Amino acid sequence: MAPVPSLPIKVGHIDDVQELRKAKPATVPERFIRDMADRPKVVPNLSSSLDIPIIDLSKLMKTDKDEVMQLKTASEEWGFFQVLNHGIDLNVVEDIENVAKDFFMLPLQEKQKYPMAPGTVQGYGQAFVFSENQKLDWCNMFALGVEPPCIRNPKLWPSKPVNFRETLEIYSREVRKLCKTLLKYIAVSLGLKGDVFEEMFGVAVQAVRMNYYPPCSRPDLVLGLSPHSDGSALTVLQQGKDSSVGLQILKGKTWVPVQPIPNALVINIGDTLEVLTNGKYKSVEHRAVTHKERDRLSIVTFYAPSYDIELGPMAELVDEKNPCRYRRYNHGEYSKHYVTNKLQGKRTLDFAKIQSKISN
Ligand SMILES: COC(=O)C(/C=C/C1=C(C)CCCC1(C)C)=C/O[C@H]1C=C(C)C(=O)O1
Ligand SMILES: O=C(O)CCC(=O)C(=O)O
Ligand SMILES: [Fe+2]
């Protein structure tokens, strides 16, 4: 089942943030200004002991016990890690960044040939806007379904830049391999058979979202991307080479910035793995903030099971000490639920939570 909206949605006028930036207003339009409690604190992004864990995939692939243990700790305590030696050719990584940048730098009229219709998630625009009074993110998005072919909308695959389609195909093939490898070691780290997720997922769904955050004159008032957790099983996030720091993850009550590491990819556990592991591995809330002078690009791949599969916590991870925290559901239904609700922290996962007196 493909996730599609069923009701017409009124979202009002959505300004294109790159065009707003070009006009360089000293003030930011009201619709982008966050309520006090949601505004980001602008602090220097210094490296600290709170940096997210780093995993070396080349060590994992030798089933290095320490590295598997690091992966387990990262998935349990952070839900995020950066992966080094990920095996994707650096030219492929560079090429996707270049085509993404080239796409966002096209004239608005060209980009608007691929519009994201209100309430849908593919194309150019702002996703997850469902009402006229909803706050907007300081971000332009371009999102496409990639695999399986039935989720593609070929009309939204741009003809400019000319190498966009081919580059995305190559990149997606490589990222798909990486996701399969990571899922294998995630399974091993849980004491499960390496192929458990691959067997379970069927033909996995893969989508890519390119996020472009222009500089903003008031980074203290706006958000680049609203707090959310990802609906995927795994997410692979590539931060543009010369981008400003912008991704932040919620650790306890603190928003921790993710310092870009050259040639590393950021990986995060999505809601689907949280459910499958009965909450042992966490899908962590994150957001993006903007910068006064610098822009930022991120290229994000969502990797998830086939829409057909039924899922719930795996029996091996449920026992007396760890009672079942999520109900069983169809992943297609969850995808539909995810894409038809605004980004609101971890609230989307309430869909699956078994409400208990002990808070989850
Ligand atoms: C803007 O899009 C998203 O943020 C997004 C959507 C992904 C998708 C497409 C662009 C095409 C159709 C498939 C899919 C819904 C995956 C986020 O994806 C998350 C949400 C779910 C659920 C998921 O699996 O990844
Ligand atoms: O741009 C970023 O770093 C965050 C992107 C993100 O979280 C997403 O696209 O889901
Ligand atoms: Fe995300």
XYZ file of all heavy atoms in Angstrom, residues 3 116 121-122 127-128 141 143-145 151 205 207 209 231-232 302 304 307 331 334-335 338-339, ligand 1:
213
model
N 1.718 5.182 0.598
C 1.133 6.215 1.453
C 0.673 7.422 0.656
O 1.477 8.098 0.052
C 2.276 6.593 2.399
C 3.512 6.066 1.794
C 3.155 5.115 0.705
N 6.025 19.319 -4.784
C 5.506 18.403 -3.762
C 4.082 18.866 -3.466
O 3.879 19.952 -2.905
C 6.378 18.504 -2.510
C 6.039 17.502 -1.431
S 7.062 17.762 0.035
C 8.604 17.037 -0.416
N 4.737 13.540 -0.015
C 6.128 13.664 0.457
C 7.154 13.613 -0.668
O 8.344 13.674 -0.401
C 6.475 12.570 1.498
C 5.832 12.855 2.818
C 6.139 11.177 0.995
N 6.715 13.488 -1.923
C 7.710 13.425 -2.989
C 7.690 14.722 -3.796
O 6.641 15.310 -4.027
C 7.426 12.249 -3.922
C 7.474 10.911 -3.202
C 7.767 9.744 -4.143
O 8.668 9.828 -4.962
N 7.017 8.665 -4.024
N 7.599 19.231 3.104
C 6.729 18.105 3.468
C 6.177 18.330 4.880
O 6.648 19.201 5.604
C 7.531 16.815 3.425
N 5.166 17.564 5.221
C 4.611 17.529 6.582
C 3.926 18.836 6.994
O 3.879 19.168 8.175
C 5.692 17.166 7.617
C 6.415 15.889 7.280
C 7.716 15.908 6.803
C 5.771 14.668 7.412
C 8.376 14.733 6.473
C 6.429 13.482 7.081
C 7.739 13.523 6.618
N 13.120 21.163 0.499
C 13.334 19.711 0.415
C 13.101 19.233 -0.997
O 12.225 19.766 -1.696
C 12.252 18.992 1.225
C 12.487 18.935 2.668
S 11.082 18.056 3.391
C 11.483 18.295 5.090
N 12.417 15.353 -2.312
C 12.340 13.951 -1.872
C 11.802 13.057 -2.982
O 10.893 13.450 -3.734
C 11.455 13.848 -0.639
N 12.368 11.874 -3.075
C 11.947 10.915 -4.104
C 11.911 9.506 -3.533
O 12.833 9.110 -2.796
C 12.934 10.925 -5.277
C 13.021 12.213 -6.103
C 14.215 12.154 -7.053
C 11.730 12.459 -6.872
N 10.887 8.740 -3.913
C 10.883 7.313 -3.615
C 11.800 6.654 -4.636
O 11.770 7.004 -5.820
N 7.134 2.603 -6.035
C 6.943 3.836 -5.236
C 7.493 5.063 -5.962
O 7.400 6.180 -5.476
C 7.549 3.750 -3.813
C 9.086 3.752 -3.834
C 6.996 2.572 -3.033
C 9.705 4.119 -2.487
N 11.864 -0.803 1.198
C 11.516 0.510 0.645
C 12.690 1.455 0.917
O 13.270 1.451 2.002
C 10.237 1.049 1.329
C 9.996 2.513 0.982
C 9.031 0.218 0.917
N 13.917 5.574 0.184
C 13.567 6.909 -0.317
C 14.700 7.864 0.029
O 15.429 7.640 0.998
C 12.271 7.388 0.322
N 15.814 11.999 0.616
C 15.346 13.377 0.802
C 16.575 14.261 0.869
O 17.495 14.000 1.637
C 14.571 13.444 2.097
C 14.258 14.819 2.583
C 13.088 14.759 3.503
N 13.459 15.011 4.881
C 12.710 14.677 5.928
N 11.588 14.032 5.753
N 13.090 14.958 7.139
N 10.786 7.483 10.502
C 9.882 6.324 10.465
C 10.544 5.069 9.926
O 9.986 3.973 9.994
N 11.729 5.241 9.399
C 12.447 4.149 8.739
C 12.917 3.086 9.741
O 12.726 3.220 10.946
C 13.677 4.767 8.070
O 14.366 5.559 9.023
N 16.151 6.973 3.610
C 15.323 6.203 4.545
C 15.220 4.775 4.019
O 14.879 4.574 2.846
C 13.921 6.806 4.659
C 13.940 8.252 5.084
C 13.687 9.266 4.178
C 14.229 8.593 6.403
C 13.714 10.598 4.559
C 14.263 9.927 6.798
C 14.004 10.927 5.871
N 13.539 1.051 4.822
C 12.447 0.501 5.638
C 11.938 -0.803 5.025
O 12.174 -1.079 3.847
C 11.309 1.524 5.704
N 6.083 -2.486 2.371
C 4.792 -2.067 2.945
C 3.929 -3.249 3.355
O 3.012 -3.112 4.159
C 3.995 -1.242 1.931
C 4.581 0.120 1.661
C 4.616 0.638 0.364
C 5.064 0.901 2.696
C 5.143 1.894 0.109
C 5.596 2.149 2.462
C 5.630 2.638 1.154
O 6.148 3.867 0.927
N 3.400 -2.405 8.113
C 4.323 -1.284 7.906
C 3.786 -0.240 6.920
O 4.059 0.957 7.064
C 5.712 -1.760 7.456
C 6.656 -0.615 7.264
N 7.094 0.152 8.333
C 7.177 -0.050 6.153
C 7.862 1.130 7.871
N 7.930 1.026 6.556
N 1.797 2.094 8.875
C 2.632 3.024 9.649
C 3.183 4.122 8.742
O 3.198 5.301 9.115
C 3.781 2.300 10.370
C 4.529 3.269 11.265
C 3.847 3.941 12.279
C 5.868 3.562 11.051
C 4.492 4.875 13.082
C 6.526 4.498 11.853
C 5.832 5.150 12.863
O 6.457 6.088 13.643
N 3.612 3.734 7.533
C 4.155 4.730 6.588
C 3.091 5.789 6.293
O 3.378 6.983 6.271
C 4.571 4.073 5.279
O 5.636 3.211 5.527
N 2.712 8.007 9.212
C 3.879 8.889 9.360
C 3.775 10.085 8.408
O 3.988 11.233 8.810
C 5.165 8.104 9.071
C 6.428 8.869 9.401
C 7.060 8.727 10.624
C 6.992 9.762 8.477
C 8.216 9.441 10.936
C 8.135 10.482 8.775
C 8.745 10.317 10.010
O 9.878 11.034 10.305
N 3.453 9.797 7.157
C 3.498 10.887 6.165
C 2.233 11.744 6.163
O 2.167 12.735 5.438
C 3.810 10.367 4.728
C 5.141 9.655 4.698
C 2.703 9.484 4.192
C 9.780 13.923 2.821
O 9.741 12.564 2.963
C 10.096 12.006 4.106
O 10.546 12.646 4.987
C 9.934 10.582 4.244
C 9.313 9.940 3.163
C 9.763 8.890 2.541
C 9.072 8.241 1.479
C 9.069 8.760 0.193
C 9.720 10.036 -0.182
C 8.421 8.041 -0.922
C 7.484 6.968 -0.494
C 8.065 6.154 0.593
C 8.425 6.930 1.848
C 7.207 7.161 2.734
C 9.403 6.069 2.642
C 10.347 9.955 5.359
O 10.399 8.618 5.384
C 10.377 7.889 6.544
C 9.009 7.645 6.967
C 8.765 6.332 6.900
C 7.548 5.570 7.323
C 9.904 5.702 6.391
O 10.021 4.515 6.187
O 10.872 6.619 6.189
